[in-house]
Amino acid sequence: MRLWPRTMAGQLIGLLLLGLVAAHAIGLSMVLTNGATIHAISRDQMVEHAAAAWRLGALPQAQARRALEAIRDDHSDYALDKAAAIDEGSQQGYDQDVIREKLQTRLGLQASDIRVSLVRHSARQGDLRIAMRVPDGQWINTLQHPVMSQAWMRPLRFSVPVSTLPVLVIVFLFVRRILRPIKALAHAAERVSRGEQLGPLPVSGPSEAREVTAAFNLMQERLTRFVEDRTRLLAAISHDLRTPITSLRLRAEMVEDAQLRAAMIRTLEEMRVMVEETVRFARDDARNEDTREVDLHALLRDVAQEQLAQGHDVHLRSDAPGALPYRCRPVGLKRAIGNLVDNAVRYGQRARLAVFPAAGGSLLIHVDDDGPGIAADQLPEVFKPFVRLDAARHRGTGKDGGSVGLGLAIARSCIEAHGGRLELENRDGADRPSGLRAVISLPA
């Protein structure tokens, strides 16, 4: 079981509480070492009893002994002896000093005429011995059992709440203020990981938080500029290639050999499609789309209905009844799922879509087909641009770059732009696959 808090605010407050506990523990150790151990009321009673016994001891000896015998009981003992029952080097302590001073004041005795010893047996019990010299030179020896007091509890009952509660309130407010920029930064980083475009974050808070926020703004600015420069570069290359491709197309039309002319035109058409789809892949349209909440069921139904309208065998199954709201860029997500369904119906005859909730509020979407599948060692390769496994996936024509090997690359780019993950697996897991499954994991 994890006892230490995970959040920075919890850790700061925890450290503060540990500091307060340590401070009180140090103060408590000092109180237990040097502080009072007899309850104040009981101490005053012990002084009164000892003073009364001394006054009785000042009477004639026979009368004094009878009087002391009369006041003796099970909780106290008083005796008139020739010597003190306490050594001269009696125990020193707060209570002993207080009792000695009180008796000196009340009886007018010298400090050398009073000896006090205290032996503590438990938290509530102890033996208090007092020896006092009477005028005739004899000693009154008393033994009493005062009520011992845990005096440290009284100040702690006051000091702990008074010192802790206001400090915690103030620290809580300041910690929230200090951590607000960090929480905003974490939220912004999560949105950027989903492909959203954000404006610069306000630079506020402590100097460390300001430095991190400024670095994040600079990183986002450079990343946006890099993507824009790459898109402009590829667009310029595409524009420059269109002219020679068109010129070659016109020249190919003038070739007299019909078979050679058809082959040349087919090659030029593939070059044109490859250039255009490369630009679309680099542009990554999903990054320019606003994020909004949609019904994921409705989005998947649209994909299935579009395929059904084209005469394809597509079926949708959902384990979550009713609407399934999800915040995303619907055009980009629909494009990614559409590419996967296209591949399924083109190479696997039919497509089976399923959506269901997963752990932590995330969502899983499966796209199954009944095709030959892909060997396990070749599954990672199909996500690379322009890669086509001819043994399992023959050349074809389709939208979104399917004919040039960009369909899966575009689909994975769109899914990862949402902070999700796209994986391929063979449904049976055997060496000879009989069907492919595309697994889309979308975060909560």
Side-chain angles (χ1 to χ4, degrees):
M1 182 178 64
R2 186 184 180 92
L3 299 178
W4 192 248
R6 294 178 179 271
T7 63
M8 185 181 295
Q11 293 180 6
L12 289 176
I13 293 176
L15 288 173
L16 176 64
L17 286 176
L18 288 178
L20 291 174
V21 170
H24 282 91
I26 295 173
L28 178 60
S29 65
M30 296 176 64
V31 169
L32 292 178
T33 303
N34 302 314
T37 56
I38 301 178
H39 194 283
I41 296 178
S42 180
R43 185 175 59 235
D44 291 340
Q45 290 177 345
M46 300 299 102
V47 171
E48 290 290 344
H49 294 169
W54 184 87
R55 294 188 181 97
L56 294 176
L59 298 174
Q61 189 174 61
Q63 187 178 356
R65 294 184 184 279
R66 288 194 301 269
L68 293 175
E69 181 69 24
I71 63 174
R72 184 182 297 118
D73 56 26
D74 295 337
H75 301 289
S76 58
D77 185 26
Y78 305 95
L80 180 63
D81 300 314
K82 295 182 178 180
I86 304 174
D87 295 337
E88 187 173 357
S90 59
Q91 181 180 349
Q92 300 297 316
Y94 175 81
D95 282 312
Q96 294 90 317
D97 294 339
V98 171
I99 291 173
R100 188 179 298 105
E101 291 176 1
K102 287 180 177 292
L103 289 174
Q104 284 184 248
T105 303
R106 289 178 179 234
L107 304 177
L109 299 176
Q110 300 294 324
S112 59
D113 295 334
I114 303 174
R115 301 178 186 179
V116 183
S117 173
L118 175 63
V119 178
R120 182 168 185 160
H121 298 300
S122 65
R124 302 294 293 178
Q125 294 182 350
D127 290 344
L128 175 64
R129 296 180 181 273
I130 302 176
M132 299 166 288
R133 195 196 308 269
V134 293
D136 63 359
Q138 298 192 83
W139 289 82
I140 295 292
N141 293 308
T142 69
L143 171 62
Q144 303 180 79
H145 304 288
V147 177
M148 310 304 291
S149 171
Q150 295 175 326
W152 54 272
M153 285 296 296
R154 292 198 303 274
L156 284 183
R157 291 171 186 170
F158 175 79
S159 64
V160 169
V162 168
S163 62
T164 302
L165 295 180
V167 171
L168 286 182
V169 172
I170 295 173
V171 169
F172 177 75
L173 295 177
F174 273 90
V175 165
R176 287 189 59 185
R177 179 178 178 274
I178 292 172
L179 297 184
R180 190 179 298 120
I182 299 178
K183 290 184 177 180
L185 180 62
H187 181 63
E190 192 272 337
R191 292 179 61 188
V192 169
S193 70
R194 291 171 175 257
E196 297 187 33
Q197 294 291 337
L198 303 177
L201 296 178
V203 180
S204 60
S207 58
E208 292 81 2
R210 295 170 68 90
E211 292 175 1
V212 174
T213 304
F216 176 83
N217 289 337
L218 181 60
M219 178 198 69
Q220 186 180 3
E221 178 186 352
R222 290 176 176 175
L223 181 62
T224 302
R225 186 167 61 247
F226 167 76
V227 174
E228 292 176 350
D229 292 344
R230 186 189 66 169
T231 303
R232 282 195 296 266
L233 175 62
L234 291 176
I237 294 175
S238 174
H239 181 272
D240 293 341
L241 287 176
R242 285 185 184 132
T243 300
I245 291 175
T246 303
S247 176
L248 289 174
R249 176 69 180 267
L250 293 176
R251 294 182 182 183
E253 293 288 351
M254 292 184 283
V255 175
E256 295 182 358
D257 189 333
Q259 186 176 1
L260 178 59
R261 182 172 63 250
M264 293 176 65
I265 292 175
R266 184 169 59 252
T267 301
L268 291 171
E269 181 64 19
E270 288 183 358
M271 291 177 61
R272 183 190 64 82
V273 173
M274 184 179 297
V275 170
E276 291 179 355
E277 294 303 330
T278 300
V279 174
R280 290 188 61 186
F281 176 68
R283 187 182 300 116
D284 199 2
D285 295 335
R287 289 186 175 273
N288 298 323
E289 182 186 357
D290 292 334
T291 302
R292 57 189 177 92
E293 188 174 287
V294 298
D295 182 3
L296 195 56
H297 283 161
L299 187 146
L300 294 176
R301 282 196 300 267
D302 290 343
V303 173
Q305 289 172 1
E306 290 176 1
Q307 294 290 336
L308 289 172
Q310 301 175 37
H312 298 150
D313 184 1
V314 179
H315 177 70
L316 171 63
R317 178 178 64 86
S318 174
D319 294 342
L324 189 60
Y326 187 72
R327 186 170 180 82
C328 64
R329 290 176 299 285
V331 174
L333 186 59
K334 185 176 179 181
R335 180 187 181 193
I337 298 174
N339 282 0
L340 297 174
V341 174
D342 270 345
N343 283 348
V345 298
R346 182 183 300 116
Y347 307 118
Q349 292 76 49
R350 60 184 59 87
R352 297 292 181 263
L353 280 79
V355 57
F356 44 90
S362 59
L363 295 173
L364 288 179
I365 300 176
H366 288 176
V367 181
D368 296 344
D369 65 35
D370 294 338
I374 300 176
D377 59 343
Q378 293 181 321
L379 286 175
E381 300 296 321
V382 297
F383 287 111
K384 297 179 180 180
F386 307 114
V387 171
R388 291 170 295 189
L389 306 178
D390 293 339
R393 308 286 184 173
H394 58 77
R395 291 175 183 261
T397 58
K399 67 180 182 177
D400 293 331
S403 61
V404 295
L406 280 175
L408 290 176
I410 292 174
R412 186 172 68 169
S413 176
C414 292
I415 296 301
E416 291 181 348
H418 284 79
R421 187 175 67 255
L422 172 61
E423 297 176 340
L424 297 179
E425 60 185 32
N426 294 302
R427 291 207 308 276
D428 57 357
D431 295 336
R432 299 180 60 187
S434 61
L436 193 68
R437 166 174 292 172
V439 182
I440 301 174
S441 302
L442 294 176

